[in-house]
Amino acid sequence: MEKTAKVEVNRDGTQRGLTNLAVQMIAFGGSIGTGLFLGAGSTIHRTGPSILFVYAIIGGFFFLMMRAIGEMLYADPNQHTFVVFIHRYLGSNWGKFAEWSYWLELILAAMAELTAIAAYFQLWFPTLPAWLIQLAFLVGLTLINVAVVSFFGKTEIILSGIKIITILGLIIVGAWLVVTHHQGISGDQATISNLTRNFTLFPNGISQFIFAFPMVFFAFQGMEFVGITTAETKQPRQVLPRAINQIIGRILFFYIGSLAVIMMVSPWQQINASQSPFVQIFELAGIPAAALLINAVVIIAAASTLNSAIFSTGRHLYQLALESNSRWMLPLRKISVKGIPLTSVLFSAALMLGAPILSLFNQLTTAFTFVASVSGDIYILVCILTMLAHWKFRQKTVGQEVLFRMPAYRITEPLTICFFGAVFVSLFFSSASRWPAIGAIIWALGFAAYLKLGQQNTISRLERDKQ
């Protein structure tokens, strides 16, 4: 590794330009999206105050997964994605399935964010075509991503920072309404007792409580982006432990704190599920144009998530190219003079052009929604494989000193794997999520069959060459 003036340059030409703050903001950018600002009301209506327990439980298991990812990356901080460890410790077939599936899932998630950006932007400019809005945001954020990595990090600090300031603003304003016993959203008095009065764990039945788990699980998706920044982070063995240990607590604070304050300002049964609670609370506090303010924040939130997705897909595809022997993948290994895996970033971004194309054909929207849901469900399988890879990692590194460990892994790892498995199984108990879950299984089986066929063809070709 050689050094330039301020930035370390890796052997492959990528640069370590991301700071601890940038790494944390990238994780915020991925895991705190539009759902919190717009969908908090419907989230609360599912289980009432017990939704806080769901967030706490899933947050705890995500922390364990992040510690597992952090431990593997701490031991080898030169990897561009945490998914590479699945390939290394579970075999090439599992690795290819996880790597390609995760990359595709990120592409589809980015397309969904582009769709959301266009919808919210059209509230201000209804005559602008959706495809033009999507194209403008995609090109702008791609240009940011092909600049030096430190510039991308600074951009994400600003975008994620706006989201954080908005959430803190909600918590402060809501707390002020409660302390002053202000009239709440529904006309009732804002008070802490709104959160605890007549509390039951399953106010809408145990089924709604169970269905809340996959919904909240996907809310945390994107936190693992920390595991895609390590190879481009300054002093990774110092930054990585701090980032992982701090990020989970802060995300839980923002999620649980904002939801708790919302339910204190008004009894949860009275909250309008069809309107953003952020808008409702800011309007109560007399903040002018609250709806316009939140619409702007939602656009920024979606742009932040998209920005992180472009970064992550580019690094992920670059790692795939490094592992591939295919001559078609060789161009994707190109590193620009600024230390960016240029062709991988541009190719991934080009696939995201599917969003503006879809906007021209509304009849394809349903199909895209289904495919995106399938890919989201596959993410759970990738999480399970990541934990299994970490288990193998620990078995193969017995006796080696690593200063950043997953706590009590012999107990916590099996619990985490079982929990992630239970979340996936819970998808089959809802008609809305059952078919995407079946689609995820079909994708996994089809991918396995494809790899098997490829291996058989390779063996047959080798046998013919021998003859």
Side-chain angles (χ1 to χ4, degrees):
M1 183 180 294
E2 56 186 78
K3 290 189 177 182
T4 60
K6 289 185 178 181
V7 180
E8 291 180 274
V9 179
N10 296 315
R11 291 178 180 176
D12 63 359
T14 54
Q15 299 179 3
R16 295 189 177 275
L18 295 176
T19 63
N20 176 47
L21 178 60
V23 170
Q24 292 202 47
M25 288 302 191
I26 290 168
F28 279 123
S31 56
I32 297 182
T34 59
L36 177 62
F37 298 105
L38 295 179
S42 59
T43 300
I44 290 168
H45 268 266
R46 187 175 292 273
T47 66
S50 62
I51 195 68
L52 303 181
F53 294 115
V54 179
Y55 271 96
I57 292 168
I58 292 182
F61 281 109
F62 258 83
F63 172 69
L64 292 173
M65 183 181 76
M66 291 307 302
R67 286 294 294 261
I69 291 173
E71 182 179 343
M72 292 186 288
L73 284 169
Y74 189 94
D76 186 1
N78 295 314
Q79 300 303 321
H80 289 274
T81 168
F82 68 95
V83 187
V84 71
F85 296 109
I86 298 175
H87 190 285
R88 181 180 298 178
Y89 294 107
L90 298 183
S92 61
N93 285 351
W94 284 117
K96 289 176 181 177
F97 165 75
E99 289 167 341
W100 283 108
S101 298
Y102 183 72
W103 175 74
L104 179 62
E105 188 272 331
L106 290 178
I107 295 290
L108 294 170
M111 289 172 60
E113 293 298 334
L114 276 170
T115 302
I117 287 172
Y120 302 133
F121 207 81
Q122 283 180 323
L123 292 176
W124 293 339
F125 305 99
T127 59
L128 274 181
W131 68 266
L132 182 60
I133 298 169
Q134 293 168 342
L135 186 62
F137 271 87
L138 180 59
V139 170
L141 292 175
T142 301
L143 289 175
I144 289 173
N145 269 271
V146 297
V148 292
V149 70
S150 58
F151 180 63
F152 160 78
K154 291 173 183 176
T155 303
E156 196 54 35
I157 288 173
I158 295 171
L159 293 175
S160 292
I162 293 172
K163 292 191 291 187
I164 291 171
I165 290 170
T166 305
I167 298 171
L168 286 174
L170 172 93
I171 294 173
I172 293 170
V173 168
W176 173 76
L177 293 174
V178 170
V179 170
T180 59
H181 299 293
H182 196 280
Q183 186 178 20
I185 296 172
S186 61
D188 297 284
Q189 189 180 68
T191 174
I192 294 176
S193 62
N194 285 334
L195 182 64
T196 58
R197 188 186 301 123
N198 301 321
F199 174 80
T200 57
L201 192 59
F202 311 122
N204 293 319
I206 192 171
S207 61
Q208 288 298 314
F209 184 77
I210 293 173
F211 296 156
F213 276 87
M215 177 186 66
V216 174
F217 184 93
F218 293 125
F220 280 88
Q221 185 176 356
M223 189 186 301
E224 76 284 351
F225 285 175
V226 170
I228 308 177
T229 62
T230 308
E232 295 170 81
T233 300
K234 297 177 182 178
Q235 300 178 317
R237 286 198 170 103
Q238 294 181 27
V239 170
L240 190 65
R242 289 205 306 268
I244 289 176
N245 286 334
Q246 293 171 3
I247 189 71
I248 182 63
R250 292 177 181 178
I251 288 179
L252 279 173
F253 169 75
F254 291 129
Y255 272 120
I256 293 178
S258 57
L259 293 176
V261 163
I262 290 168
M263 288 183 282
M264 290 178 193
V265 171
S266 186
W268 67 270
Q269 300 93 333
Q270 307 300 324
I271 296 172
N272 185 356
S274 62
Q275 185 182 12
S276 166
F278 280 72
V279 173
Q280 298 175 62
I281 288 180
F282 286 147
E283 285 179 343
L284 279 176
I287 297 176
L292 291 176
L293 170 65
I294 295 304
N295 192 60
V297 172
V298 165
I299 292 173
I300 291 169
S304 171
T305 304
L306 175 61
N307 196 35
S308 293
I310 295 172
F311 175 92
S312 301
T313 51
R315 272 59 181 183
H316 203 79
L317 186 59
Y318 172 67
Q319 184 71 46
L320 283 164
L322 292 179
E323 296 174 358
S324 175
N325 295 320
S326 171
R327 62 187 179 91
W328 301 107
M329 297 286 284
L330 288 177
L332 298 173
R333 299 180 182 180
K334 178 178 174 57
I335 299 295
S336 72
V337 294
K338 297 179 180 179
I340 305 296
L342 185 63
T343 50
S344 291
V345 170
L346 292 177
F347 183 80
S348 297
L351 290 183
M352 296 173 194
L353 287 171
I357 293 173
L358 281 171
S359 69
L360 298 174
F361 303 95
N362 291 331
Q363 61 269 29
L364 297 177
T365 302
T366 302
F368 169 72
T369 301
F370 176 77
V371 173
S373 298
V374 170
S375 69
D377 293 346
I378 293 172
Y379 171 72
I380 303 178
L381 302 179
V382 173
C383 290
I384 294 172
L385 291 173
T386 300
M387 299 307 294
L388 291 171
H390 177 261
W391 181 269
K392 286 283 190 179
F393 163 81
R394 287 298 291 263
Q395 303 306 307
K396 292 187 177 183
T397 56
V398 174
Q400 295 183 18
E401 184 179 2
V402 178
L403 300 179
F404 188 59
R405 289 289 199 189
M406 177 186 180
Y409 89 100
R410 292 186 183 276
I411 298 172
T412 56
E413 192 130 50
L415 283 176
T416 305
I417 292 170
C418 289
F419 177 76
F420 288 167
V423 171
F424 188 83
V425 170
S426 71
L427 296 171
F428 291 89
F429 293 92
S430 169
S431 57
S433 59
R434 185 179 302 123
W435 284 109
I438 293 173
I441 292 176
I442 292 173
W443 165 262
L445 294 175
F447 198 98
Y450 169 77
L451 291 178
K452 186 69 173 178
L453 181 62
Q455 289 173 344
Q456 290 175 347
N457 290 338
T458 301
I459 293 172
S460 298
R461 187 171 63 251
L462 291 173
E463 289 177 348
R464 286 195 303 269
D465 293 341
K466 288 180 180 179
Q467 296 174 355

